[in-house]
Amino acid sequence: MRRFWSILFLLVPILGVATFVAAPYYNIWFPKDVSEHGRTIDNLFMFILWLTGIVFVVTELTLFWFMWKYDERSTKRPVKFSHGSHALEIVWTILPAATLLFIAIYQMEAWASAKMLPPDLKPIVEVTGRQFNWDFRYPGPDQELYTEDDIVRTDGKLYLPVNEDVMLRITSLDVLHSFFLPNLRMKQDVVPGMEQSMWFKAKETGGYDIVCAELCGWGHYKMKGRVYFLPRDQYELKLEEMRLEQNTMRAELPEEEDE
Amino acid sequence: MSTVSTDTHSAAHGEHAHTSSFLKNYVFSLDHKIIGLQFLFSTLIWFFVGGMLALGIRWQLAFPWRPMPILGNLLATAEGGQIPPETYTMLVTMHATVMIFFVIIPILAGAFGNFLIPLMIGADDMAVPILNMASYWVMWPAFIAMGTSFFVEGGASQGGWTAYPPFALTQGDGQFLWLIGLTLVGISSMMGSVNYMTTIIQMRAPGMTMFRLPMTIWGMFITAILQAFALPVLTAAGFMQLMDLKMGTGFFIPEGWTTNNNPMASGGGQPLLWQHLFWFYSHPAVYIMILPAMGMVSDILSTFSRKPLFGYKPMVYSISGIAGLGFIVWGHHMFVSGMNPMLGMTFMVSTMMIALPSAIKTFNWLGTMWGGKIQYTTPMLFAISFVSMFIIGGLSGIFMAATPIDIFIHDTYYIVAHFHYVLFSGTAMAVFGGIYYWFPKMFGRMMNETWGKVHFTLTFVLLNCVFFPMHILGMTGFPRRLADPYHYETFRNLIPLNQFMSYCAFALVGVQIIFALNFFGSMFFGPRAGRNPWKSNGLEWQAPSPPGHGNFDFQPIIYRGPYEYGSPEVDEDYYPQTQPPPEADDETSKDE
Ligand SMILES: [Cu+2]
Ligand SMILES: [Cu+2]
């Protein structure tokens, strides 16, 4: 039976590694990254995946080997009457401590650039989470939010210029939400009464998901949006188009109902 | 009725000491063993309930919006077994709540803590038995509050087990009962923890120094300290939310707050304050949910490796280190919450460092097995699987401690994978191991080994099929708590994988029937165990099985630690804590 139990535990590292090797072939992997900083985050992930993967395989194989070798029936000599080893304890305290500290320090720069050092830009759009939609307010030609010429959209579609650093102001109207852009490796909880910003630079045009990642009610699952990255000229055309659309709507409706 | 024990000791006095009523002996009992078993049975029943709630979640993830057969009518009252999004949100909330507050915490501290602490330290009972009884009976109003919340208007809480305001404050009576239940569980834990600390400090048998305590007791002791320091914060926060909900205060409500166009008059509070207070308790609670399990695993590993525990003192120091560090890492749940990102950096460093004690413990468990004579009993297999699975759960924690990576994986299935590897594959497996191991002491009979191994093998294989793929789901950004993730076209290709996981989850719940049958069958028909069926060193194995009132039929005197297996001093491969050393033969050779 020792063979059976040892091999059962040997399956853990084998199938564990196999899952991670096979997953990309089934297209179950990171979503496509279209941001500039996303690669840093993916690389950090892969770095830790390799590191922990090696530790995982080595420790699981050690476990397998001990199970295989030291079972009661095949072990004739008496057990090692040992209460531990100072030298070993020191080694396996200092090594992981140093590694963990290194990982922490190694991550700091990416964190700082993603969340701590905002570029000196005015917000290109204000994102407002509400149950259960993402609303967007563009500052309009005067580049100032909350002025006459703002463009307000409630269709869940966000248009942004590609290949440019953009700054988003994000806030909530009611409960917590989380503005999650999987393809840009960006996420920020949205807290009512707090104003937050998010910045990134997209590298590719196209439409990508906006996901709400913080439980906000029964309709949480359908709080879906799309972000479209357009070249600068098309982006401006789109803004103009939305502004005209809004003006005609304003003409039809005597009172504006946004917000 | 007299018990025939396999060793030479005659049956304990406990059998004929008391003939008082059933009610006093088995219901309102002051005996720590009965209270422990009461906790055990209650938590096992809630374990079943929590499992059923999980099935609802898994059904919806595999077959969104399709009516769920059988269970659907029970879980979701309307729409012929289809799970509406409100119910799904309720399922995730209550699955987590039940599993954490009604199963894991009370089964470790309440069931095993109560049953084992006096037996393992050589006391006749807890320091304050009446407090102990109260700690169990306070659980009942909590059970009733949570249980009835399923049937009130609007159903049980849908606010997530973390109950983040302001959303949680939009909930009706379900949330009110949830908060009441939570507070009562807290009161119960507090009574337990004060009692455990006092008992462990004050009531150890002669010779039982702190460094001769088994790791289980160290785990319970550190857990009790964590509870005592962290719980007041949760209780206070719970009351604050209760007042926000019912009395119009605004601790967690921002200025000018509205929901569903329903303006509330109050405001001026901060939603993030709740998160800080909640996680200040709930991060230490993660250790409350695993340290006793680690202790139990240490004991089982040493016993069935027939070899001393490797690095006893480093183990003690590392769990003490966890207790200290555990209070300064809560912010890792809040990296993307809007908390000052500078704090995120600090919390990343402390969180990375708290992985260290866990690493040390893992290496010491491997060291314990190295050079031993491993007996593959059912408890041992569960204990080994704890080590194997804890490696996964521990390593995956490093990803989310790394702040930039957490930006992406926060609130995805990566997190779900991580905590299920720690709490199910870790703690629950250790609990199974503990039940198989101490069952003979609890009921005086053995559980069936063959069925135990069948149960182990199926559980071990199936749990990995359910939880391991969650890692790569998380890597795709698959968010948690979505009633229909496939509302996003991006995630549609994950349906087959989710169906596979769900089938395995149904089977995983199904095979627990083997355990239930084995458990109840063995309680009545298992072979008699005798005092020390596993040839263990631990003090609890010197008491009769099951121990009578007052536990020991002799005055235990402790000569050594509990891990002296294979000692060259004696011929047998075990050396009970109470056995006098050979040179001390002149005193009293046997003290029964
Ligand atoms: Cu949401
Ligand atoms: Cu934590």
Side-chain angles (χ1 to χ4, degrees):
Chain A
M1 271 318 256
R2 74 165 166 138
R3 278 168 206 273
F4 178 77
W5 300 122
S6 317
I7 289 167
L8 186 65
F9 280 86
L10 180 62
L11 291 178
V12 173
I14 291 178
L15 294 179
V17 171
T19 309
F20 275 88
V21 172
Y25 293 100
Y26 291 91
N27 210 6
I28 306 176
W29 203 242
F30 291 123
K32 186 179 168 200
D33 164 41
V34 297
S35 70
E36 202 180 52
H37 69 276
R39 191 139 61 100
T40 320
I41 289 180
D42 291 358
N43 286 345
L44 286 172
F45 189 101
M46 289 312 290
F47 166 71
I48 298 186
L49 187 62
W50 273 102
L51 204 74
T52 54
I54 291 164
V55 176
F56 166 66
V57 170
V58 170
T59 44
E60 298 281 0
L61 285 182
T62 312
L63 185 67
F64 156 73
W65 179 239
F66 287 173
M67 289 180 74
W68 182 273
K69 186 147 182 251
Y70 298 118
D71 85 300
E72 193 189 23
R73 258 158 245 153
S74 58
T75 309
K76 294 286 167 278
R77 36 135 212 89
V79 300
K80 291 188 172 63
F81 187 66
S82 150
H83 290 79
S85 145
H86 264 287
L88 273 176
E89 297 290 349
I90 289 168
V91 170
W92 66 44
T93 304
I94 291 181
L95 265 183
T99 316
L100 289 164
L101 207 60
F102 169 73
I103 295 176
I105 293 166
Y106 191 62
Q107 310 280 332
M108 285 181 175
E109 211 184 302
W111 172 250
S113 82
K115 292 280 179 190
M116 285 168 76
L117 308 165
D120 190 17
L121 288 171
K122 278 195 170 171
I124 196 166
V125 67
E126 186 192 61
V127 177
T128 304
R130 63 174 167 87
Q131 289 172 322
F132 299 100
N133 197 39
W134 296 105
D135 296 346
F136 306 107
R137 175 185 283 265
Y138 302 86
D142 69 346
Q143 306 292 306
E144 291 291 334
L145 281 163
Y146 292 99
T147 50
E148 260 302 287
D149 61 349
D150 284 3
I151 306 162
V152 179
R153 304 289 292 186
T154 54
D155 59 356
K157 289 185 183 139
L158 172 62
Y159 297 92
L160 290 173
V162 75
N163 290 324
E164 269 177 55
D165 277 312
V166 289
M167 168 72 91
L168 280 63
R169 183 151 98 184
I170 49 181
T171 172
S172 166
L173 204 61
D174 39 43
V175 300
L176 297 181
H177 304 277
S178 190
F179 189 67
F180 179 25
L181 303 171
N183 300 87
L184 291 115
R185 310 291 188 267
M186 259 302 160
K187 184 181 287 138
Q188 178 61 54
D189 282 10
V190 186
V191 185
M194 262 174 95
E195 234 171 51
Q196 310 194 69
S197 41
M198 178 187 274
W199 55 90
F200 51 78
K201 184 184 195 173
K203 293 185 306 186
E204 277 178 55
T205 55
Y208 305 98
D209 279 331
I210 299 172
V211 180
C212 179
E214 183 66 65
L215 183 63
C216 57
W218 69 268
H220 172 50
Y221 74 98
K222 63 190 188 84
M223 193 164 158
K224 174 172 90 166
R226 283 296 267 186
V227 56
Y228 296 91
F229 294 105
L230 305 171
R232 186 80 211 183
D233 49 337
Q234 284 182 37
Y235 167 70
E236 310 228 311
L237 277 174
K238 187 73 204 172
L239 276 189
E240 193 54 31
E241 184 192 315
M242 290 195 290
R243 204 156 63 89
L244 290 173
E245 209 177 294
Q246 177 159 308
N247 286 345
T248 49
M249 271 173 55
R250 218 174 258 170
E252 282 163 17
L253 287 165
E255 211 148 319
E256 204 192 326
E257 273 213 76
D258 299 310
E259 268 229 271
Chain B
M1 191 186 102
S2 76
T3 314
V4 186
S5 24
T6 49
D7 36 55
T8 52
H9 303 268
S10 60
H13 64 276
E15 310 289 342
H16 25 248
H18 289 272
T19 44
S20 31
S21 70
F22 174 83
L23 212 64
K24 203 175 158 202
N25 272 339
Y26 294 104
V27 184
F28 296 102
S29 171
L30 291 172
D31 188 318
H32 71 99
K33 299 179 290 294
I34 299 293
I35 297 169
L37 294 181
Q38 287 171 330
F39 265 109
L40 183 67
F41 285 115
S42 314
T43 49
L44 285 178
I45 289 167
W46 280 102
F47 197 20
F48 175 75
V49 174
M52 291 299 113
L53 297 170
L55 288 188
I57 299 171
R58 281 316 318 176
W59 175 267
Q60 174 75 359
L61 287 174
F63 312 105
W65 313 125
R66 270 210 255 154
M68 187 181 184
I70 312 158
L71 208 56
N73 292 318
L74 236 112
L75 294 175
T77 42
E79 295 160 67
Q82 194 197 41
I83 297 172
E86 295 88 341
T87 307
Y88 181 84
T89 321
M90 182 274 282
L91 288 177
V92 290
T93 303
M94 295 312 286
H95 166 67
T97 305
V98 165
M99 287 304 197
I100 290 168
F101 295 109
F102 284 177
V103 181
I104 299 176
I105 293 178
I107 207 172
L108 288 176
F112 285 103
N114 260 315
F115 188 84
L116 292 175
I117 289 173
L119 281 170
M120 287 180 126
I121 67 170
D124 52 0
D125 207 312
M126 287 286 179
V128 192
I130 188 95
L131 198 61
N132 210 20
M133 180 179 81
S135 86
Y136 175 70
W137 284 106
V138 159
M139 288 300 281
W140 271 93
F143 293 157
I144 291 166
M146 292 280 186
T148 49
S149 81
F150 285 92
F151 305 103
V152 299
E153 168 126 35
S157 171
Q158 301 169 16
W161 81 275
T162 50
Y164 280 2
F167 175 56
L169 297 173
T170 66
Q171 300 287 304
D173 289 341
Q175 186 67 17
F176 175 71
L177 290 167
W178 187 90
L179 286 164
I180 298 281
L182 190 71
T183 308
L184 291 166
V185 173
I187 293 170
S188 160
S189 297
M190 186 53 110
M191 291 194 285
S193 86
V194 170
N195 216 348
Y196 297 172
M197 284 193 285
T198 318
T199 308
I200 294 170
I201 292 171
Q202 289 292 335
M203 299 185 56
R204 281 168 287 128
M208 183 65 95
T209 60
M210 285 306 269
F211 280 125
R212 283 178 182 170
L213 289 175
M215 286 310 294
T216 302
I217 299 301
W218 271 107
M220 297 290 175
F221 185 58
I222 300 292
T223 298
I225 294 174
L226 285 171
Q227 298 257 39
F229 284 93
L231 258 170
V233 177
L234 181 76
T235 310
F239 272 113
M240 286 155 88
Q241 190 175 120
L242 209 59
M243 287 196 281
D244 274 9
L245 190 72
K246 288 285 173 197
M247 295 163 80
T249 57
F251 294 109
F252 307 123
I253 301 174
E255 203 63 54
W257 180 67
T258 61
T259 183
N260 295 337
N261 304 322
N262 241 341
M264 294 269 277
S266 53
Q270 230 303 357
L272 287 193
L273 175 61
W274 166 265
Q275 298 185 23
H276 281 291
L277 296 174
F278 180 82
W279 289 115
F280 186 83
Y281 166 76
S282 292
H283 186 81
V286 171
Y287 296 104
I288 291 168
M289 291 183 260
I290 196 142
L291 292 183
M294 287 175 160
M296 284 153 50
V297 163
S298 306
D299 286 5
I300 296 171
L301 279 180
S302 170
T303 302
F304 295 111
S305 296
R306 313 310 293 172
K307 188 170 163 285
L309 187 70
F310 202 86
Y312 173 85
K313 280 197 179 172
M315 292 274 227
V316 172
Y317 297 145
S318 53
I319 61 169
S320 312
I322 287 175
L325 278 169
F327 281 106
I328 54 164
V329 297
W330 78 90
H332 60 214
H333 299 271
M334 300 172 61
F335 286 150
V336 297
S337 68
M339 175 181 75
N340 184 343
M342 196 63 166
L343 272 175
M345 206 104 104
T346 322
F347 280 120
M348 165 164 66
V349 177
S350 57
T351 304
M352 286 289 177
M353 287 343 282
I354 207 169
L356 181 61
S358 303
I360 296 173
K361 292 183 80 73
T362 306
F363 295 135
N364 278 306
W365 287 322
L366 290 175
T368 304
M369 290 169 68
W370 164 71
K373 280 186 173 178
I374 300 168
Q375 299 171 338
Y376 292 111
T377 58
T378 310
M380 182 60 166
L381 290 167
F382 276 103
I384 298 175
S385 82
F386 174 92
V387 177
S388 174
M389 300 290 99
F390 183 71
I391 292 171
I392 300 176
L395 290 174
S396 65
I398 296 175
F399 290 81
M400 51 207 69
T403 45
I405 299 173
D406 188 66
I407 297 175
F408 178 59
I409 59 176
H410 182 78
D411 265 325
T412 68
Y413 261 76
Y414 206 87
I415 313 292
V416 180
H418 165 71
F419 61 68
H420 280 98
Y421 263 97
V422 176
L423 293 181
F424 188 88
S425 318
T427 303
M429 293 298 264
V431 163
F432 281 131
I435 291 176
Y436 282 102
Y437 183 60
W438 280 293
F439 188 92
K441 193 51 63 184
M442 290 170 173
F443 301 105
R445 292 172 187 271
M446 303 296 288
M447 282 179 84
N448 185 295
E449 272 288 306
T450 312
W451 285 110
K453 283 170 181 160
V454 172
H455 169 229
F456 164 76
T457 311
L458 292 172
T459 306
F460 183 68
V461 171
L462 289 168
L463 80 86
N464 280 295
C465 295
V466 179
F467 298 125
F468 202 82
M470 288 183 181
H471 292 106
I472 50 168
L473 283 189
M475 285 178 73
T476 68
F478 196 72
R480 57 193 282 211
R481 293 170 168 173
L482 291 197
D484 179 10
Y486 316 112
H487 194 61
Y488 297 88
E489 295 80 14
T490 338
F491 299 129
R492 296 247 166 95
N493 67 328
L494 300 174
I495 294 181
L497 181 59
N498 268 297
Q499 287 175 341
F500 166 75
M501 289 156 68
S502 292
Y503 286 129
C504 294
F506 303 150
L508 178 61
V509 174
V511 299
Q512 301 315 312
I513 292 170
I514 302 173
F515 171 74
L517 291 178
N518 193 352
F519 186 93
F520 290 108
S522 305
M523 239 172 94
F524 299 106
F525 309 110
R528 300 257 176 211
R531 289 183 186 231
N532 194 357
W534 308 114
K535 294 192 177 12
S536 301
N537 288 343
L539 179 53
E540 76 274 26
W541 299 105
Q542 299 305 310
S545 298
H549 261 300
N551 293 341
F552 294 94
D553 44 6
F554 62 100
Q555 170 58 49
I557 296 167
I558 309 304
Y559 295 96
R560 64 192 64 77
Y563 300 117
E564 302 301 292
Y565 293 99
S567 166
E569 273 182 47
V570 280
D571 297 332
E572 300 91 359
D573 74 336
Y574 67 117
Y575 199 2
Q577 286 185 280
T578 49
Q579 185 178 321
E583 47 288 358
D585 265 342
D586 50 317
E587 289 176 19
T588 39
S589 60
K590 282 257 161 77
D591 38 2
E592 51 276 293

